[in-house]
């Protein structure tokens, strides 16, 4: 009983010092009212960010690029198929082009290889069989291989679990 009274007496001055908040508070926050549409923020209120909407998703053929070009610069997502008409290849490329913004945000570069006879450096290094989706990190390591197409959401969720990505977003070592 004495402990409860002591805690109560210690809290009274703290609560009193906070004082009541007037309607239309000075700190700019208003209570949420159900059904009210929040006012649009002006551009000056928005944090400064690079305009990524003007940037397109980079899609290169395997003959145009080498793995060393992307080391510590970008995350290659390599799509292999035995022919450009492979339905899985067409589906994967369409999915990536439909929603490129999350991929651009994660520094993804798409590499396509549909010519097994050319034996590109990507094929020699990664050794795919038929359709294959390979996710690589900026350090050049293969992180995941998939034999079926993945949605952009699945790809970005996988990338967000990479150790380098966790460091980029400042969540390394946090539970």
């Amino acid at each position: 009983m004495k402990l409860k009274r002591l805690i109560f007496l210690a809290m009274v001055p703290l609560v009193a010092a906070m004082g009541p908040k007037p309607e239309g508070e000075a700190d700019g926050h208003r209570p949420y009212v159900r059904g009210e549409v929040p006012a649009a923020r002006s551009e000056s209120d928005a944090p400064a960010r690079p305009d990524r909407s003007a940037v397109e998703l980079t899609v290169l053929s395997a003959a145009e690029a080498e793995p060393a070009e992307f080391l510590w610069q970008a995350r290659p997502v390599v799509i292999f198929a035995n022919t450009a008409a492979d339905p899985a290849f067409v589906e994967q490329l369409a999915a990536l082009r439909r929603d490129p913004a999350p991929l651009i945000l994660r520094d993804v570069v798409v590499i396509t290889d549909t010519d097994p006879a050319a034996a590109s450096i990507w094929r020699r290094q990664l050794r795919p069989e038929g359709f294959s989706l390979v996710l690589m990190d900026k350090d050049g390591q293969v992180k995941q291989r998939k034999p079926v197409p993945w949605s952009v959401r699945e790809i970005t969720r996988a990338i967000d679990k990479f150790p380098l990505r966790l460091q980029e977003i400042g969540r390394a070592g946090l539970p």
Side-chain angles (χ1 to χ4, degrees), residues 27-42:
D27 61 359
H29 291 90
R30 292 184 34 218
Y32 172 74
V33 178
R34 188 180 183 135
E36 180 179 80
V37 177
R41 293 174 52 175
S42 69

Side-chain angles (χ1 to χ4, degrees), residues 65-71 76 121-122 125 136 140:
E66 292 191 19
E69 292 177 39
F70 305 109
L71 200 58
I121 189 167
W122 296 95
Q125 264 188 351
M136 299 175 71

Side-chain angles (χ1 to χ4, degrees), residues 66-147:
E66 292 191 19
E69 292 177 39
F70 305 109
L71 200 58
W72 304 111
Q73 302 298 315
R75 291 184 174 87
V77 171
V78 190
I79 308 169
F80 293 101
N82 291 338
T83 175
D86 184 335
F89 177 79
V90 172
E91 178 186 340
Q92 183 64 70
L93 210 50
L96 298 179
R97 286 191 171 140
R98 226 181 351 260
D99 188 17
L103 299 171
I104 293 167
L105 182 67
R106 288 160 180 83
D107 300 322
V108 168
V109 172
V110 178
I111 309 296
T112 61
D113 189 338
T114 57
D115 186 10
S120 71
I121 189 167
W122 296 95
R123 274 195 191 270
R124 289 192 308 266
Q125 264 188 351
L126 301 174
R127 301 178 185 198
E129 292 182 18
F131 175 84
S132 183
L133 174 68
V134 180
L135 304 180
M136 299 175 71
D137 206 356
K138 288 184 176 182
D139 60 1
Q141 292 184 2
V142 174
K143 296 298 181 183
Q144 285 194 331
R145 293 173 181 266
K146 295 293 167 188

